[in-house]
Amino acid sequence: MSRKVILLYGSGPNVGAAILKKFAANGWKTAAVVRTMKDDYKNSADLVLQADFADAQVIQQVYNEVESKLGTPNCVCYNAYAYESCSSDATDLFAAPPQKFAKDLAVNTVGCYAAASSAVAGFTRLSLGPKVFIFTGNGFPTSIVPEQPGLGSGKAASAYLIETAANALKEQSHWYFADERLLKGKPVMTDLSGEAHAEAYYDLAMRKEQGPWNFTFVKGKGYVKCSDVVDHAYTPIAKLFANIGNVTPFNTQFPSTPSPWNISINRRFIDTTKLKVALTRYHEDIDIPPWTEGPPRSNISELRDYWLDKYDWYTVERQINAKYNQYVTTVILPDSNYTDPVPLHFVHHRSKHDNAIPLLFMHGTPGNFMEVGALIDPLTDPPQGQPAFHVVAPSMPGYGFSPAPKILGMDPIHTASSMNELMQQLGYNKYVIQAGDWGGIVLRYTAGLHPENVVSALSNFFIVAPNTTDLARFDANQTTSDETAYIKSIQNYGDNNSGYRLLMSELPLQIVISMTDSPLGNLAFEWTMMKWLSIKSWSWTLEDIITWSMMYWIPGPYASMRHYREMALHGVHAGTTLGNVYPYITVPIGLSEWPGDFWYRTALLEFNSIDFINAILLMHYFEAIKIRPVDSRDEF
């Protein structure tokens, strides 16, 4: 395990030296930044640098040098200060030249801001903690010292920054304003204890959760709450109805090769989302049975209240990050007229078994990469005698955390090519596929166009459009009972249940604009499909519903809806027909169905190289979510 790194801005012979010694004794690499280089300082840390703390650019340059030589700092301490605008007379509060006051602020506030800015950027590059920023406050801003206006004002301003960060960034990093006190709670101010600072700072660096932002501590006792500390109300700007709108949910660089990645959603985006949920305008119900035309108002209001009062995205985010090994990469489509790079987010769990089979798991709509969650353990580490799998589950282009395509043409052919390129990039020249819905359509193109790579496939979404001969036989009552049932089901889907598909195939923006602005509107659309495509015995929790809708709300639903138009332009699911432009599949294929599917009994029609059909009575559209481990292995 690599050693943790502490970066200390402003290292002197007392507090600074004690902090560095404490961290070094616990195995940390240490970096000290001093205003003036002295012989006593040269060996005080693994790396000692000199800097002007009044120059914000220099402070950031120092951070970069420390990161390049020691690694990304886990703990950044800002211990520098200045008080050139001081006076010996309290009545001469404004006697010092403004230039001196400005220089004090440059060190006491702007320097802190620059150090914090570098630290925040660095924390995003750390996969594991700690991620801590500590500012040495000591006496300010709770004490008024008129003889030191620049020091007091500067530290008071930095206290605001630290308190704000401790509230706004606590899910990603921890922030503290350290303040040594006497036993009765008064600030020490002078005669500070280096040892007490060292103990307190190391304690803060090792804490798993954000503690009190104004960390008042007493030598030999540690943290002691003091009555003069005021915690201000944390009011995200979204709650003030300002600057609401286009907030980037997350910023991620997609490298050319797979790189580990975790979800980290912008808090302002989450705050704005909650505000939009709070401002939901309800529809008026009419006297019809619930769910006849969509979710009733009572269900929407229940979800709204749960979202506002109980749902915690960051708890969900931590759970997802802990459960899934996530990566990001970029693939280039070979020999293609689709010229843009394709950025992808994906889950990748390798089996410990030497003979494990690479498995590409592709989700559909309204699903997401989390559909694979229940399958990871039984597939990667099955009981003895059962096949093991390396599991790869991408967010399809434009879904979840795979960015939306910026140009036209991400049709089934190019989506299939991007999936195949991902598997090649991971070193899986031969692999098998499991997929449903949109993923099931892409499966047919992946298997059909890349038989040199795809060994076999299992689909739980395999539609065959009846041709003119089939329909003529149907009209003449010459079809078998299975064929008759299948054709009736397909016709019922086209006549009564596919309006959403037609709208998104023709004018996706007509619905996307409103859904992009309303988190509950987006949820209602996704939930309606989730409920329609699930068996009655399956119960979605309120948290499930919101979390799954977030997989569309975070990126915006345009790309995931627009793939229907790309399919239609390609001839798949065009107009009121289902299309039969799929490539011929030569590799073995298995189908998994349940009686609620509108394509139920598809495999009874002669088509391609269908190897077997598994008609499952207790499964449903989202089979992988509740599938028993033995079922998943039997299917392969």
Side-chain angles (χ1 to χ4, degrees):
M1 181 181 293
S2 60
R3 294 165 60 194
K4 300 178 183 68
V5 179
I6 179 175
L7 167 57
L8 177 66
Y9 292 96
S11 178
N14 180 25
V15 172
I19 292 171
L20 294 170
K21 183 178 179 180
K22 175 69 175 180
F23 279 77
N26 284 278
W28 287 54
K29 289 186 282 189
T30 56
V33 187
V34 299
R35 196 190 318 260
T36 304
M37 187 66 73
K38 298 179 180 179
D39 291 339
D40 292 342
Y41 295 160
K42 292 180 179 180
N43 297 317
S44 63
D46 296 313
L47 178 64
V48 181
L49 302 173
Q50 184 177 357
D52 178 6
F53 298 115
D55 189 331
Q57 185 174 358
V58 170
I59 288 176
Q60 293 183 318
Q61 290 171 350
V62 164
Y63 182 95
N64 294 336
E65 184 173 352
V66 171
E67 187 173 38
S68 67
K69 293 181 177 179
L70 298 183
T72 305
N74 300 84
C75 180
V76 177
C77 302
Y78 194 84
N79 192 48
Y81 61 94
Y83 52 95
E84 290 192 16
S85 60
C86 64
S87 169
S88 59
D89 187 349
T91 62
D92 289 335
L93 177 62
F94 301 107
Q99 295 85 346
K100 288 189 175 183
F101 183 81
K103 190 171 183 179
D104 285 350
L105 293 185
V107 176
N108 300 323
T109 301
V110 180
C112 170
Y113 184 94
S117 177
S118 296
V120 167
F123 290 158
T124 64
R125 296 187 285 274
L126 290 171
S127 58
L128 299 174
K131 303 174 185 179
V132 183
F133 187 96
I134 305 173
F135 179 88
T136 303
N138 287 335
F140 298 95
T142 55
S143 299
I144 296 177
V145 183
E147 293 86 355
Q148 296 179 336
L151 182 61
S153 299
K155 290 205 171 188
S158 290
Y160 172 84
L161 294 176
I162 299 301
E163 183 179 10
T164 302
N167 281 279
L169 305 179
K170 63 183 177 182
E171 300 297 339
Q172 294 86 30
S173 50
H174 301 156
W175 299 76
Y176 297 98
F177 185 94
D179 185 0
E180 186 182 4
R181 297 298 182 97
L182 299 171
L183 279 173
K184 293 185 178 181
K186 291 184 178 181
V188 173
M189 301 294 285
T190 59
D191 196 25
L192 299 169
S193 169
E195 177 185 356
H197 280 75
E199 293 295 330
Y201 284 34
Y202 187 75
D203 170 37
L204 295 177
M206 300 307 294
R207 291 190 174 206
K208 301 297 184 183
E209 297 182 352
Q210 174 72 49
W213 73 273
N214 195 332
F215 194 82
T216 47
F217 61 95
V218 174
K219 181 179 180 180
K221 290 184 175 294
Y223 174 71
V224 176
K225 183 174 177 60
C226 295
S227 58
D228 60 350
V229 173
V230 177
D231 291 326
H232 300 92
Y234 172 55
T235 308
I237 197 166
K239 293 185 178 179
L240 299 178
F241 299 87
N243 297 326
I244 298 171
N246 293 322
V247 182
T248 302
F250 64 97
N251 290 306
T252 296
Q253 297 296 320
F254 287 79
S256 58
T257 56
S259 177
W261 184 81
N262 277 325
I263 303 169
S264 180
I265 302 302
N266 184 337
R267 176 169 283 278
R268 186 178 161 204
F269 177 84
I270 298 301
D271 289 339
T272 302
T273 297
K274 278 205 166 185
L275 177 58
K276 287 176 176 288
V277 172
L279 295 175
T280 296
R281 178 188 178 193
Y282 293 121
H283 68 277
E284 293 294 333
D285 280 337
I286 63 175
D287 188 18
I288 56 175
W291 288 97
T292 302
E293 298 179 355
R297 175 171 174 166
S298 59
N299 293 90
I300 294 299
S301 62
E302 181 183 15
L303 277 159
R304 172 194 175 274
D305 293 345
Y306 183 87
W307 201 331
L308 291 176
D309 300 334
K310 296 181 180 180
Y311 185 78
D312 181 3
W313 163 255
Y314 288 105
T315 297
V316 173
E317 182 181 275
R318 285 193 297 270
Q319 292 170 346
I320 295 173
N321 287 337
K323 182 172 184 176
Y324 299 95
N325 298 334
Q326 300 174 83
Y327 298 83
V328 291
T329 191
T330 300
V331 298
I332 305 296
L333 306 190
D335 303 322
S336 171
N337 58 4
Y338 190 92
T339 56
D340 267 18
V342 182
L344 293 172
H345 160 263
F346 63 99
V347 168
H348 186 198
H349 285 253
R350 285 187 58 83
S351 172
K352 64 182 179 181
H353 298 279
D354 294 335
N355 60 347
I357 303 167
L359 165 65
L360 173 62
F361 182 101
M362 294 186 290
H363 68 81
T365 302
N368 56 75
F369 71 93
M370 291 186 292
E371 287 183 40
V372 80
L375 293 177
I376 291 175
D377 289 341
L379 288 179
T380 57
D381 191 19
Q384 187 174 2
Q386 298 289 344
F389 296 85
H390 302 307
V391 177
V392 179
S395 293
M396 305 293 277
Y399 286 73
F401 304 103
S402 290
K406 299 297 184 184
I407 62 174
L408 301 179
M410 186 49 71
D411 55 27
I413 292 177
H414 294 118
T415 304
S417 180
S418 70
M419 296 294 99
N420 188 60
E421 285 304 304
L422 172 62
M423 296 302 281
Q424 304 313 299
Q425 195 178 88
L426 294 173
Y428 298 140
N429 185 51
K430 299 285 188 179
Y431 59 93
V432 299
I433 306 176
Q434 146 64 31
D437 190 75
W438 170 229
I441 293 172
V442 176
L443 174 152
R444 294 169 73 166
Y445 282 85
T446 311
L449 300 177
H450 304 282
E452 73 280 7
N453 303 118
V454 178
V455 176
S456 63
L458 172 69
S459 174
N460 61 297
F461 187 91
F462 202 94
I463 301 173
V464 181
N467 58 30
T468 54
T469 301
D470 296 327
L471 294 176
R473 290 173 52 239
F474 174 75
D475 292 338
N477 295 320
Q478 295 174 356
T479 48
T480 67
S481 59
D482 287 334
E483 290 172 335
T484 299
Y486 176 74
I487 293 173
K488 285 183 176 180
S489 180
I490 290 291
Q491 290 178 336
N492 179 65
Y493 169 74
D495 293 340
N496 301 306
N497 295 314
S498 65
Y500 71 95
R501 177 178 62 83
L502 298 176
L503 176 60
M504 292 187 286
S505 297
E506 297 175 5
L507 295 170
L509 275 176
Q510 186 172 354
I511 188 172
V512 161
I513 292 171
S514 58
M515 287 176 56
T516 303
D517 191 54
S518 172
L520 267 178
N522 173 76
L523 177 149
F525 186 89
E526 306 299 342
W527 184 25
T528 300
M529 297 183 69
M530 290 160 64
K531 187 175 179 62
W532 173 53
L533 295 167
S534 302
I535 57 175
K536 294 181 180 179
S537 61
W538 170 255
S539 177
W540 295 91
T541 68
L542 298 179
E543 182 169 297
D544 287 337
I545 297 167
I546 296 172
T547 299
W548 275 49
S549 76
M550 288 292 284
M551 296 300 107
Y552 292 80
W553 172 253
I554 290 171
Y558 188 22
S560 61
M561 290 189 169
R562 200 186 170 281
H563 85 254
Y564 285 89
R565 179 153 181 80
E566 290 286 359
M567 283 195 293
L569 293 173
H570 186 67
V572 180
H573 286 209
T576 58
T577 69
L578 297 175
N580 256 346
V581 297
Y582 299 104
Y584 190 84
I585 300 174
T586 58
V587 302
I589 236 183
L591 304 189
S592 179
E593 301 179 335
W594 68 287
D597 292 332
F598 69 81
W599 60 94
Y600 186 56
R601 302 180 183 181
T602 301
L604 300 181
L605 300 177
E606 185 178 353
F607 188 76
N608 286 5
S609 57
I610 295 171
D611 194 57
F612 69 88
I613 175 173
N614 184 13
I616 303 172
L617 298 180
L618 295 179
M619 285 190 179
H620 59 107
Y621 196 79
F622 305 103
E623 290 178 5
I625 301 175
K626 296 293 284 185
I627 194 170
R628 291 184 298 122
V630 66
D631 291 331
S632 65
R633 289 189 296 273
D634 287 347
E635 288 173 0
F636 283 96

